[in-house]
Amino acid sequence: MSGRSAELAANLARVESRIASACAAAGRDRAEVTLIVVTKTYPVDDVRLLAGLGVRDMAENRDQEAARKAEQTADLPLTWHFVGQLQTNKARSVVRYADHVHSVDRLRLVTALSNAATDRGRRVGCLVQVALDAESGTQGERGGVAPDGVQALADAVAAAPGLRLDGVMTVAPLAGAYAGQPRAAFDRLREISSRLRESHPAASMVSAGMSQDLEEAVAAGATHVRIGTAVLGVRPGLR
Ligand SMILES: *Cc1c(COP(=O)(O)O)cnc(C)c1O
């Protein structure tokens, strides 16, 4: 095992143990939570090493980097998650490799993804990104639709050819009423998810929790945690 592989294995073991403990504390089955490793800024060699260590779910937040890594690892059985803010003009590229887009937050993006997916004969899973700190009718600073806009957007995804409504996603707000309160934020996401599943029962993915707050997310019912730093190390520079 290379030094880097051993390092990633040790980090993965630590994260795995955190997820297992959080599941146990919440009375949840470990199998209810999927670990997605966010490989942004790290080389494709790391994606390969992670795959060798059993990771199947990878995430990226920029199309160019994601497209390149997905292409260079096309021989591996990976599921790609797109988790970054997405311009409509990148929809055509993203539908080529992404199995799930976690950052669907406006109608124009739904239309662009639907057209692109249909043209490629693909079906892409979409999560509505919720900005818990956004005012009614606005977008969050880091993307996301305000809570009162979730239902209409979800209905649009569910009705769009080439798309599948998979669930909801959030990033714990750094400002506003939820700042420093990830558990309350994730509880709110869970409520939004429950309400959504009354009309869309199959939309069961709840994507929440990063390196710093995965325990709170698992406690609040997250089905997918998105972990970068705790597996790969601190990223050089702010992304
Ligand atoms: C980078 C990123 C993550 C991972 O964050 P870490 O703090 O490095 O674990 C999760 N979700 C999104 C949307 C990201 O951009």
Side-chain angles (χ1 to χ4, degrees), residues 46-80:
D46 281 350
V47 176
R48 240 168 226 293
L49 292 174
L50 288 165
L53 294 166
V55 177
R56 289 291 168 267
D57 291 84
M58 307 288 177
E60 288 286 332
N61 72 336
R62 293 183 176 200
D63 170 59
Q64 224 184 347
E65 184 176 352
R68 181 172 50 77
K69 285 180 187 163
E71 191 180 318
Q72 291 173 355
T73 57
D75 58 310
L76 300 174
L78 299 178
T79 296
W80 285 96

Coordinates of all heavy atoms in Angstrom, one line a residue, residues 46-80:
D46 N -6.2 9.9 -6.3 CA -6.9 9.7 -5.1 C -8.3 9.0 -5.3 O -8.7 8.2 -4.5 CB -7.1 11.0 -4.3 CG -5.8 11.5 -3.6 OD1 -4.9 10.7 -3.6 OD2 -5.8 12.7 -3.1
V47 N -9.0 9.4 -6.3 CA -10.2 8.7 -6.6 C -10.0 7.2 -6.8 O -10.7 6.4 -6.3 CB -10.9 9.3 -7.9 CG1 -12.2 8.6 -8.3 CG2 -11.2 10.8 -7.7
R48 N -9.0 6.9 -7.6 CA -8.6 5.5 -7.8 C -8.3 4.8 -6.5 O -8.7 3.7 -6.3 CB -7.4 5.4 -8.8 CG -7.7 4.7 -10.0 CD -6.6 4.9 -11.1 NE -7.3 5.2 -12.3 CZ -8.1 4.3 -12.9 NH1 -8.3 3.1 -12.5 NH2 -8.8 4.7 -14.0
L49 N -7.5 5.4 -5.7 CA -7.1 4.8 -4.4 C -8.4 4.6 -3.6 O -8.5 3.5 -2.9 CB -6.1 5.7 -3.7 CG -4.7 5.8 -4.3 CD1 -3.8 6.8 -3.5 CD2 -4.0 4.4 -4.3
L50 N -9.2 5.6 -3.5 CA -10.5 5.4 -2.7 C -11.3 4.3 -3.3 O -11.9 3.5 -2.5 CB -11.3 6.8 -2.8 CG -10.6 7.9 -1.9 CD1 -11.3 9.2 -2.3 CD2 -10.8 7.6 -0.4
A51 N -11.4 4.2 -4.6 CA -12.2 3.1 -5.2 C -11.6 1.8 -4.7 O -12.3 0.8 -4.4 CB -12.2 3.2 -6.7
G52 N -10.3 1.7 -4.7 CA -9.6 0.5 -4.3 C -9.9 0.1 -2.8 O -9.8 -1.0 -2.4
L53 N -10.2 1.2 -2.0 CA -10.5 1.0 -0.6 C -12.0 0.8 -0.4 O -12.5 0.7 0.7 CB -10.0 2.2 0.2 CG -8.5 2.4 0.2 CD1 -8.1 3.8 0.7 CD2 -7.9 1.3 1.1
G54 N -12.7 0.6 -1.5 CA -14.2 0.3 -1.4 C -15.1 1.4 -1.5 O -16.4 1.2 -1.4
V55 N -14.7 2.7 -1.7 CA -15.6 3.8 -1.9 C -16.2 3.7 -3.2 O -15.5 3.5 -4.2 CB -14.9 5.1 -1.7 CG1 -15.9 6.3 -1.9 CG2 -14.3 5.2 -0.3
R56 N -17.5 3.8 -3.3 CA -18.2 3.8 -4.6 C -18.9 5.1 -5.0 O -19.2 5.3 -6.2 CB -19.4 2.7 -4.5 CG -18.8 1.3 -4.5 CD -18.2 0.9 -5.8 NE -17.4 -0.3 -5.8 CZ -16.1 -0.4 -5.6 NH1 -15.4 0.7 -5.3 NH2 -15.4 -1.5 -5.6
D57 N -19.2 6.0 -4.0 CA -19.9 7.2 -4.3 C -18.9 8.4 -4.1 O -18.3 8.6 -3.1 CB -21.0 7.4 -3.3 CG -22.1 6.4 -3.6 OD1 -22.0 5.2 -3.1 OD2 -23.1 6.7 -4.3
M58 N -18.7 9.1 -5.2 CA -17.8 10.2 -5.3 C -18.6 11.5 -5.6 O -19.5 11.4 -6.4 CB -16.7 10.0 -6.4 CG -16.0 8.7 -6.3 SD -14.8 8.6 -4.9 CE -14.2 6.9 -5.1
A59 N -18.1 12.6 -5.1 CA -18.8 13.9 -5.4 C -17.7 15.0 -5.8 O -16.6 14.9 -5.4 CB -19.6 14.4 -4.2
E60 N -18.2 15.9 -6.7 CA -17.4 17.0 -7.2 C -18.3 18.2 -7.2 O -19.6 18.1 -7.3 CB -16.9 16.7 -8.6 CG -15.8 15.7 -8.6 CD -14.4 16.2 -8.1 OE1 -14.2 17.5 -8.2 OE2 -13.6 15.4 -7.6
N61 N -17.7 19.4 -7.1 CA -18.6 20.6 -7.2 C -18.3 21.5 -8.4 O -18.9 22.6 -8.5 CB -18.4 21.4 -5.9 CG -17.1 22.1 -5.8 OD1 -16.1 21.7 -6.4 ND2 -17.0 23.2 -5.0
R62 N -17.4 21.1 -9.3 CA -17.1 21.9 -10.5 C -17.2 21.0 -11.7 O -16.5 19.9 -11.7 CB -15.8 22.6 -10.4 CG -15.8 23.7 -9.3 CD -14.5 24.4 -9.3 NE -14.6 25.5 -8.3 CZ -13.8 26.5 -8.2 NH1 -12.8 26.7 -9.1 NH2 -14.0 27.4 -7.3
D63 N -17.9 21.4 -12.7 CA -18.1 20.6 -13.8 C -16.8 20.1 -14.5 O -16.7 18.9 -14.8 CB -19.1 21.2 -14.8 CG -19.1 20.4 -16.1 OD1 -19.5 19.3 -16.1 OD2 -18.7 21.0 -17.2
Q64 N -15.9 21.1 -14.8 CA -14.8 20.7 -15.6 C -13.9 19.6 -14.9 O -13.5 18.7 -15.5 CB -13.9 22.0 -15.7 CG -13.4 22.1 -17.2 CD -12.5 23.3 -17.3 OE1 -12.4 24.2 -16.4 NE2 -11.8 23.4 -18.4
E65 N -13.7 19.8 -13.6 CA -12.9 18.9 -12.8 C -13.7 17.5 -12.7 O -13.1 16.5 -12.8 CB -12.7 19.5 -11.4 CG -11.8 18.6 -10.5 CD -11.5 19.3 -9.2 OE1 -11.9 20.5 -9.0 OE2 -11.0 18.7 -8.3
A66 N -15.0 17.6 -12.5 CA -15.8 16.4 -12.4 C -15.8 15.6 -13.7 O -15.6 14.4 -13.7 CB -17.2 16.7 -12.0
A67 N -15.9 16.3 -14.8 CA -16.0 15.6 -16.1 C -14.7 14.9 -16.4 O -14.7 13.7 -16.8 CB -16.3 16.6 -17.2
R68 N -13.6 15.6 -16.0 CA -12.3 15.0 -16.3 C -12.1 13.7 -15.4 O -11.7 12.7 -15.9 CB -11.2 16.0 -16.0 CG -9.8 15.5 -16.2 CD -8.8 16.7 -16.1 NE -8.9 17.5 -14.9 CZ -8.5 17.1 -13.6 NH1 -7.9 15.9 -13.5 NH2 -8.7 17.9 -12.6
K69 N -12.4 13.8 -14.1 CA -12.2 12.7 -13.3 C -13.1 11.5 -13.6 O -12.7 10.3 -13.6 CB -12.4 13.1 -11.8 CG -11.3 13.9 -11.2 CD -11.5 14.3 -9.8 CE -10.5 15.3 -9.3 NZ -10.9 15.9 -8.1
A70 N -14.3 11.8 -14.0 CA -15.3 10.7 -14.3 C -14.8 10.0 -15.6 O -14.8 8.8 -15.6 CB -16.7 11.3 -14.5
E71 N -14.3 10.8 -16.5 CA -13.8 10.2 -17.8 C -12.6 9.3 -17.5 O -12.4 8.2 -18.0 CB -13.4 11.3 -18.8 CG -13.2 10.8 -20.2 CD -12.9 11.9 -21.1 OE1 -13.5 13.0 -21.0 OE2 -11.9 11.8 -21.9
Q72 N -11.7 9.8 -16.6 CA -10.4 9.1 -16.4 C -10.6 7.8 -15.5 O -9.7 7.0 -15.3 CB -9.4 10.0 -15.7 CG -8.9 11.1 -16.7 CD -8.0 12.1 -16.1 OE1 -7.8 12.1 -14.9 NE2 -7.5 13.0 -16.9
T73 N -11.8 7.7 -14.9 CA -12.1 6.5 -14.0 C -13.3 5.8 -14.6 O -14.0 5.1 -13.8 CB -12.4 7.0 -12.6 OG1 -13.5 7.9 -12.6 CG2 -11.2 7.6 -12.0
A74 N -13.6 5.9 -15.9 CA -14.7 5.3 -16.5 C -14.7 3.7 -16.3 O -15.7 3.1 -16.4 CB -14.9 5.6 -17.9
D75 N -13.5 3.2 -16.1 CA -13.4 1.7 -15.9 C -13.8 1.3 -14.5 O -13.8 0.1 -14.3 CB -11.9 1.3 -16.2 CG -10.9 2.1 -15.2 OD1 -11.0 3.3 -15.2 OD2 -10.1 1.4 -14.6
L76 N -14.0 2.2 -13.6 CA -14.4 1.9 -12.2 C -15.9 1.9 -12.0 O -16.6 2.8 -12.6 CB -13.7 2.8 -11.2 CG -12.1 2.8 -11.3 CD1 -11.6 3.9 -10.4 CD2 -11.6 1.5 -10.9
P77 N -16.4 1.1 -11.1 CA -17.9 1.1 -10.8 C -18.3 2.2 -9.9 O -18.7 1.9 -8.8 CB -18.1 -0.3 -10.2 CG -16.8 -0.6 -9.5 CD -15.7 0.1 -10.3
L78 N -18.2 3.5 -10.3 CA -18.4 4.6 -9.4 C -19.7 5.2 -9.7 O -20.2 5.3 -10.8 CB -17.3 5.6 -9.6 CG -15.9 5.2 -9.3 CD1 -14.9 6.3 -9.5 CD2 -15.8 4.7 -7.8
T79 N -20.3 5.8 -8.7 CA -21.5 6.7 -8.8 C -21.0 8.1 -8.5 O -20.4 8.4 -7.5 CB -22.6 6.2 -7.7 OG1 -23.0 4.9 -8.0 CG2 -23.8 7.2 -7.8
W80 N -21.4 9.0 -9.5 CA -20.9 10.4 -9.4 C -22.1 11.3 -8.9 O -23.1 11.3 -9.5 CB -20.3 10.9 -10.7 CG -19.0 10.3 -10.9 CD1 -18.6 9.2 -11.7 CD2 -17.7 10.8 -10.4 NE1 -17.3 9.0 -11.6 CE2 -16.7 9.9 -10.8 CE3 -17.4 11.8 -9.5 CZ2 -15.4 10.1 -10.5 CZ3 -16.0 12.0 -9.2 CH2 -15.0 11.2 -9.7

